[in-house]
Amino acid sequence: GENVEQHPSTLSVQEGDSAVIKCTYSDSASNYFPWYKQELGKRPQLIIDIRSNVGEKKDQRIAVTLNKTAKHFSLHITETQPEDSAVYFCAASMGGYQKVTFGTGTKLQVIP
Amino acid sequence: EAGVTQFPSHSVIEKGQTVTLRCDPISGHDNLYWYRRVMGKEIKFLLHFVKESKQDESGMPNNRFLAERTGGTYSTLKVQPAELEDSGVYFCASSQAQGRGGYTFGSGTRLTVV
């Protein structure tokens, strides 16, 4: 089955700096890669996703990149703010209604 | 639209007892998933319903776990008898047919087995 690895497990950045979280996946059939943000005590929320026919996607301060050949995908947050502090999960799926396999999460702390 | 609702939000039970978790998906969402996060690890897949049918139950850890979705609406996940290693946060998620737009998660049930 699919295996998703995520690094780093914790990340501290100064407010205003950029944060990058990297993931790798094992199953070349995966074609849908969502990212979830979970604030303390709250539900995971989808913040951005990318499909395999696209190499990069941006939404304001958040961008995701996908390298299908290397089976890598990354989340980039620019101009970080304290409210970006949360646990971020990458995930991979074969799309449609197929199950999603999650990474182990990255705890991001943005220091004011 | 109402989100995915889970009940209870917290449950503390003794080893050997039974606990039933409930999930109400977003109305009209055919796909319902159960996931579990144990001790700061990854969010791990348990099973997937399409309407009332179990599409994939490959993540269910053992036969102490029983999930149902009668009538294709809400779902229950029963743990009987509970063991210490069952402690964690159980998340339910739902999505539309064909899974467009990703999951919507519930707030989770934090289960503590003592």
Side-chain angles (χ1 to χ4, degrees), chain A residues 28-48:
Chain A
S28 56
S30 291
N31 58 18
Y32 174 64
F33 306 91
W35 286 85
Y36 287 84
K37 174 184 179 183
Q38 186 181 19
E39 296 177 71
L40 190 63
K42 297 189 177 180
R43 70 190 70 197
Q45 290 198 302
L46 179 71
I47 54 171
I48 195 166

Side-chain angles (χ1 to χ4, degrees), chain B residues 86-97:
Chain B
D86 299 334
S87 297
V89 181
Y90 289 76
F91 289 104
C92 174
S94 71
S95 71
Q96 295 175 335

Side-chain angles (χ1 to χ4, degrees), chain A residues 36 38 43 46 96-97 100 103, chain B residues 33 35 98-99 103 105-107:
Chain A
Y36 287 84
Q38 186 181 19
R43 70 190 70 197
L46 179 71
Y97 54 72
V100 172
Chain B
Y33 309 81
Y35 281 81
Q98 301 308 312
Y103 292 171
F105 275 92
S107 297

